[in-house]
Amino acid sequence: MEPKSWNQLQQELAAEIIRMKEGDTVILLSGERFVQMRQGADTLKAEAVSNRWLPTHLQLTPEDEREMVALGWQPPEPDLGFHNWRSSTEWPLRTQDAEQLSERLIATLRDVLDVSDPNLLDRRTFNANEEV
């Protein structure tokens, strides 16, 4: 497998987002740091890990949390059952929406969660509606 740049990964992710079908789930992770998305019937939901799940040395700082808001994430609301940063987009997506979401996911991994190299990411994909 050939090494990827952040830009290549972002472009691949945008193309994958457009092709997702109901139940499709994509998780990009490096250790405890992750972003994920799942296609629903009429909404694509994305999440990024919050401090609830991160060890002390990887915790988001107040500055990181401001950056998450600037990137378009909604903050965790544990009292409502939302433990991670989240966003949702109505389906079907326009190409521009897919590009913006892929940019948000990549910027989160690279700039906020400090994943230094896209080649260090594990990628997990599955369809939550299909029986195992």
Side-chain angles (χ1 to χ4, degrees), residues 1-4 8 119:
M1 189 149 109
E2 199 168 309
K4 292 182 184 176
Q8 289 170 312
N119 298 293

Side-chain angles (χ1 to χ4, degrees), residues 43-46 72-74 86-90 93 101 104:
T43 305
L44 178 62
K45 296 185 180 193
W73 292 105
Q74 295 175 352
R86 66 199 187 288
S87 71
S88 61
T89 308
E90 289 186 24
L93 292 177
L101 177 57
R104 177 183 308 134

Side-chain angles (χ1 to χ4, degrees), residues 1-14:
M1 189 149 109
E2 199 168 309
K4 292 182 184 176
S5 69
W6 285 112
N7 189 51
Q8 289 170 312
L9 180 58
Q10 186 270 320
Q11 291 174 2
E12 289 175 12
L13 204 54

Side-chain angles (χ1 to χ4, degrees), residues 4 16 38 49 59 61 69 75 95 105 107 109 115 118 120 122 129:
K4 292 182 184 176
E16 184 172 7
R38 176 173 289 165
V49 66
Q59 295 271 305
T61 66
V69 171
T95 301
L105 296 171
L109 289 164
V115 176
L120 299 176
D122 288 322
N129 295 340

Side-chain angles (χ1 to χ4, degrees), residues 74-101:
Q74 295 175 352
E77 294 182 83
D79 293 343
L80 299 177
F82 300 114
H83 297 284
N84 286 322
W85 292 86
R86 66 199 187 288
S87 71
S88 61
T89 308
E90 289 186 24
W91 190 261
L93 292 177
R94 299 175 312 180
T95 301
Q96 180 181 355
D97 295 327
E99 290 170 355
Q100 288 174 345
L101 177 57

